[in-house]
Amino acid sequence: MSHLLVDVGSTFTKAALVDEGGGLLAGAAVPTTAGPGRDVLDGIVRVCRALGPGAPDPLADGPGSDRVLVCSSAGGGLRLAVVGYEREVTAEAGHRVGLSAGAKVVHVAAGRLTVAGVAALRAARPDVVLLVGGTDGGNAEVLVHNARRLARSRVGAPVVVAGNAEAREEVAAELAATGRRVRLTDNVLPRIGVVDPGPARRAIREVFLGHVIGGKGLSRGPRFAGLVRAATPDAVLAGVEVLAEVVGGDVLVVDVGGATTDVYSVLTPQGEDATLRKHVVATLWHARTVEGDLGMRWGAPGVLEAAAAEALPGTDDPALAAWVRQVHDDPGRLPLDAAEQAHDLTLATLAATVAARRHGRPGAPGEAPRPLRDVRLLLGSGGVLRHAGPGAAQQVLGAVAGDHGGGWRPPAAARTRVDAAYLLFAAGLLAPVRPELARAVAAQVADSVADSATV
């Protein structure tokens, strides 16, 4: 029996067909069929046809089947706003949980919400609001106040409540009184210095599947929402977790996309890192950051601006600036000759380097950089790296690993690899339902690590 794994992205819909042993039978990609008057299911059907006659029919298997699993970031992915208590404590914890849940954090508010604060929250157009505040048994006044403000606001997004457990029912009553969609879960910060992201991550995922995917106008009926199991970044993070188990060590993934550049790390703290308790909000060892201003197409202008601010070389090249304008205006544009390929690789190098710096740097004043020096595998992902030659892709990853002046600690002796078959999302989709199969899929990414370069 074969299994069909599909990622519906903002630009392309990708699919992988794997057998019961985890072997890749076929892979394909087609443009995503999203937009006014279009239906993303059409793109899913097309990519399945491109895989060949052995692919399952995505419209024949009903919801609950593990033969067809879909993730999506179409329509801009998951936009999350975090409303917390003290920015340095609860709001920061919520912010980190949001990033690890595969969400793009578009707004963070700390303290009592005011009229202006609610207006700023509404202007951010979140898909989900994560309401946090206080440790269990601690101060609940701000949490209840913010719930009351949200209940009476014109912010229509569902609310996930992950604050002080003792105030949970009162908060839920305030929100339910005005018909808000509410999901209660465990506190993200049950005690000072302890972050428990799991319950909030699961709640955000369930709200995303239940309310957000179906509300983006991506498909005319409920079938697409029934097929989607996760936001794409959440699926990829789960795949990175499986890969780290297979590799038996720390993994860092840099995914350079058209609109954003995402960085994932799955670490096992060692030595001082394992016992360090200086930070009020503990480090999340399994984490993702999304850089909405860094991308190869939609986000190309932001790459040049951010790289110039970081004083990276090459940002003043007029030819590169012209290429950036072209791909931003025409996101489907692909390089046609060696010069354009060189510009695309330069853009990828700048995006990957800036994104890695932001992921690895301290999250707040007084904190240490993320402990990435012991990363065993540095993995590249994204179309620009998958379609580049091996030497070109290694050049991009080598720049990341050799970035010793960026205010973070790059890997000291990592193997580099490119997820050329784009299987991480597939491993992540399989992980909850077929964990052994997920490991077999992830092993294909890891199998040739021994043959890749050490940086």
Side-chain angles (χ1 to χ4, degrees):
M1 183 173 70
S2 59
H3 297 264
L4 174 65
L5 300 316
V6 181
D7 169 27
V8 182
S10 295
T11 307
F12 288 95
T13 294
K14 289 84 66 179
L17 187 66
V18 301
D19 61 25
E20 275 294 329
L24 179 65
L25 299 174
V30 302
T32 294
T33 51
R38 310 183 78 190
D39 193 313
V40 292
L41 279 177
D42 295 338
I44 294 177
V45 171
R46 290 177 191 173
V47 81
C48 293
R49 289 175 181 165
L51 291 171
D57 182 350
L59 304 185
D61 285 65
S65 167
D66 65 3
R67 287 199 70 201
V68 179
L69 302 175
V70 179
C71 60
S72 176
S73 60
L78 174 58
R79 296 171 62 86
L80 181 73
V82 183
V83 177
Y85 179 22
E86 296 178 1
R87 183 170 295 273
E88 293 183 358
V89 185
T90 316
E92 180 64 19
H95 184 87
R96 297 188 188 189
V97 170
L99 292 175
S100 72
K104 179 180 180 181
V105 179
V106 296
H107 185 75
V108 176
R112 288 172 170 267
L113 278 176
T114 62
V115 173
V118 171
L121 173 62
R122 186 165 176 259
R125 298 179 293 106
D127 294 316
V128 180
V129 175
L130 176 63
L131 180 58
V132 297
T135 55
D136 288 342
N139 186 300
E141 183 181 351
V142 173
L143 180 64
V144 174
H145 167 88
N146 288 343
R148 189 174 297 123
R149 279 280 191 181
L150 284 172
R152 289 155 178 77
S153 74
R154 289 191 293 166
V155 178
V159 180
V160 172
V161 179
N164 187 337
E166 295 188 6
R168 186 180 301 154
E169 298 306 320
E170 184 178 0
V171 167
E174 290 284 353
L175 292 164
T178 56
R180 299 291 166 165
R181 293 166 291 175
V182 183
R183 178 61 189 262
L184 303 178
T185 190
D186 293 343
N187 196 349
V188 300
L189 192 73
R191 301 183 304 280
I192 291 294
V194 176
V195 176
D196 183 14
R201 280 179 58 184
R202 288 190 291 272
I204 291 170
R205 174 180 175 273
E206 290 165 4
V207 169
F208 172 77
L209 297 179
H211 298 292
V212 178
I213 277 291
K216 284 184 175 286
L218 300 172
S219 184
R220 288 182 287 272
R223 190 181 293 271
F224 176 63
L227 287 172
V228 175
R229 299 296 184 93
T232 299
D234 204 14
V236 174
L237 179 59
V240 179
E241 291 172 340
V242 176
L243 179 62
E245 292 179 13
V246 171
V247 171
D250 295 350
V251 174
L252 177 66
V253 176
V254 181
D255 185 0
V256 185
T260 70
T261 297
D262 301 346
V263 182
Y264 304 79
S265 60
V266 173
L267 313 175
T268 300
Q270 303 289 338
E272 182 180 284
D273 290 325
T275 58
L276 192 61
R277 290 294 181 267
K278 292 180 180 179
H279 312 322
V280 177
V281 179
T283 299
L284 290 179
W285 302 111
H286 296 194
R288 166 196 177 251
T289 49
V290 55
E291 306 303 339
D293 60 333
L294 306 177
M296 295 297 297
R297 296 299 181 258
W298 297 106
V303 174
L304 277 189
E305 182 178 343
E310 296 275 352
L312 291 174
T315 58
D316 57 352
D317 181 356
L320 178 61
W323 175 249
V324 165
R325 289 192 295 272
Q326 291 180 52
V327 296
H328 178 260
D329 293 341
D330 180 11
R333 174 72 184 273
L334 297 175
L336 299 177
D337 54 34
E340 291 183 350
Q341 289 174 353
H343 293 326
D344 233 26
L345 284 172
T346 298
L347 196 62
T349 301
L350 295 174
T353 303
V354 174
R357 285 183 175 189
R358 292 177 180 177
H359 183 85
R361 283 170 176 162
E367 292 190 7
R370 190 176 295 277
L372 298 169
R373 285 189 60 80
D374 294 330
V375 161
R376 180 174 295 183
L377 173 62
L378 170 59
L379 188 73
S381 185
V384 64
L385 296 181
R386 289 196 301 273
H387 300 303
Q394 296 295 341
Q395 175 185 337
V396 174
L397 296 176
V400 172
D403 181 39
H404 296 289
W408 66 299
R409 298 172 183 169
R415 296 281 180 178
T416 58
R417 178 85 171 96
V418 174
D419 183 16
Y422 191 54
L423 290 175
L424 274 181
F425 89 94
L429 279 173
L430 287 165
V433 293
R434 297 291 304 276
E436 289 305 314
L437 184 56
R439 287 178 58 86
V441 170
Q444 295 182 68
V445 180
D447 273 346
S448 58
V449 168
D451 300 324
S452 58
T454 302
V455 294

